[in-house]
Amino acid sequence: MRKKIIAGNWKMNLSFAEAMALADNLLDENKEIEDVQVILASPYIFLHPLINRVQSNPNFSIAAQNCSEKVKGAFTGEIAASMLASIGIEHVILGHSERRQFYGDTHSVITAKVDRALENGICPIFCCGEMLTERNSNEHFNVVKKQLEDSLFHLSIQQINDCIIAYEPVWAIGTGVTATVDQAQEMHAFIRKTISDKYSKSTSEEISILYGGSVTPANASELFDGEDIDGGLVGGASLKEEDFSMIIKAMISKL
Ligand code: PGA
């Protein structure tokens, strides 16, 4: 069975004390979770203490929000995937639309980051998704297919098996507008079919595909009813312990 995953993307939020308190409260509130993996994607500087924090619960893990496309060397301010691996990081968000829009993460940069992550045994949480104009002109399937082809489809079956995909329609991120379960399910099924056509049906059946974009406790349960929706990548609502715990519980209730 595919892994069910609730990932929180904290983005550039929280102080050190707030981040530790949020993680501690989440660990406290979600001791009994089984069969759902909770991933907290934190700013770089909190990663190491967070890893120590979550060691008590094997269902929790910590992710980075980015990594360098370079291996190592004179790249001031950058963090290599090998450095993340050296502190025990197992996941990294790559291809997020905010990186694509504001930080020049082109297809080739994202592809290189995916390769650096996998070389270091880190699972990419690969984000894809269309802009509103692309959906309105009925280009959304082509856009997402091209994002997959450009940055993932050079991978071997073994490598793609080590990836998580997150469908995040750009128009739904941080806007309060969520894709309907039908819109999300339709795209998730399309992504799975695209992977099946490129690799194999069994490969596509094993890959977890998360939905992201204004997931809240109010809409999580309905979204997780989609048969190809294996969890969520949650931004704003992951910063509130109560809301994020409710989203985790919504996933547990589907198992
Ligand atoms: P949001 O962000 O839940 O605040 O819309 C999701 C994301 O960007 O991963």
Side-chain angles (χ1 to χ4, degrees):
M1 213 183 73
R2 291 193 288 276
K3 235 188 238 165
K4 302 295 181 190
I5 299 166
I6 302 295
N9 178 7
W10 292 352
K11 307 190 181 183
M12 197 173 73
N13 291 297
L14 305 173
S15 67
F16 179 68
E18 287 166 344
M20 296 307 123
L22 179 55
D24 286 343
N25 291 338
L26 285 169
L27 284 159
D28 224 43
E29 181 61 26
N30 298 283
K31 284 195 193 87
E32 305 302 326
I33 54 167
E34 267 171 42
D35 303 323
V36 173
Q37 184 177 17
V38 177
I39 301 175
L40 306 177
S42 145
Y44 285 131
I45 56 166
F46 308 151
L47 291 174
H48 192 249
L50 282 170
I51 284 187
N52 293 336
R53 278 318 212 258
V54 302
Q55 255 159 15
S56 58
N57 188 331
N59 291 307
F60 272 70
S61 62
I62 302 299
Q65 298 174 14
N66 185 29
C67 71
S68 174
E69 72 274 28
K70 310 286 190 196
V71 175
K72 66 171 186 171
F75 302 105
T76 302
E78 288 295 286
I79 304 281
S82 60
M83 296 172 181
L84 298 174
S86 74
I87 61 163
I89 290 292
E90 291 171 353
H91 299 87
V92 60
I93 296 176
L94 295 175
H96 192 282
S97 62
E98 287 151 17
R99 302 278 333 162
R100 292 180 194 259
Q101 273 180 286
F102 307 132
Y103 294 96
D105 279 16
T106 58
H107 293 313
S108 59
V109 169
I110 297 165
T111 307
K113 291 182 177 190
V114 166
D115 289 344
R116 294 300 84 76
L118 289 167
E119 282 160 15
N120 286 283
I122 298 176
C123 162
I125 302 174
F126 176 80
C127 301
C128 55
E130 80 286 356
M131 305 218 259
L132 187 57
T133 48
E134 292 163 337
R135 177 163 281 265
N136 288 341
S137 55
N138 214 24
E139 279 299 308
H140 46 302
F141 292 116
N142 290 340
V143 168
V144 169
K145 185 172 185 199
K146 183 151 177 17
Q147 289 171 336
L148 296 171
E149 285 172 351
D150 283 347
S151 297
L152 291 186
F153 280 8
H154 64 293
L155 300 176
S156 67
I157 281 207
Q158 286 76 9
Q159 288 174 315
I160 193 106
N161 259 323
D162 289 335
C163 296
I164 296 168
I165 293 174
Y167 169 56
E168 298 208 309
V170 181
W171 46 271
I173 296 177
T175 58
V177 181
T178 318
T180 64
V181 64
D182 290 345
Q183 286 173 321
Q185 167 55 30
E186 185 184 33
M187 183 59 87
H188 283 228
F190 172 79
I191 291 170
R192 208 175 298 289
K193 170 84 169 62
T194 305
I195 294 168
S196 171
D197 291 347
K198 165 74 184 171
Y199 293 93
S200 69
K201 188 157 171 52
S202 61
T203 303
S204 76
E205 290 295 336
E206 288 302 311
I207 292 187
S208 298
I209 307 176
L210 315 183
Y211 169 79
S214 297
V215 177
T216 66
N219 58 33
S221 176
E222 200 184 344
L223 282 164
F224 300 157
D225 277 338
E227 64 173 309
D228 288 291
I229 301 175
D230 304 310
L233 179 53
V234 185
S238 73
L239 297 168
K240 297 182 204 120
E241 186 268 306
E242 209 177 307
D243 285 4
F244 195 58
S245 291
M246 281 166 78
I247 294 169
I248 295 169
K249 289 186 173 71
M251 185 82 259
I252 292 172
S253 75
K254 306 293 171 189
L255 300 175

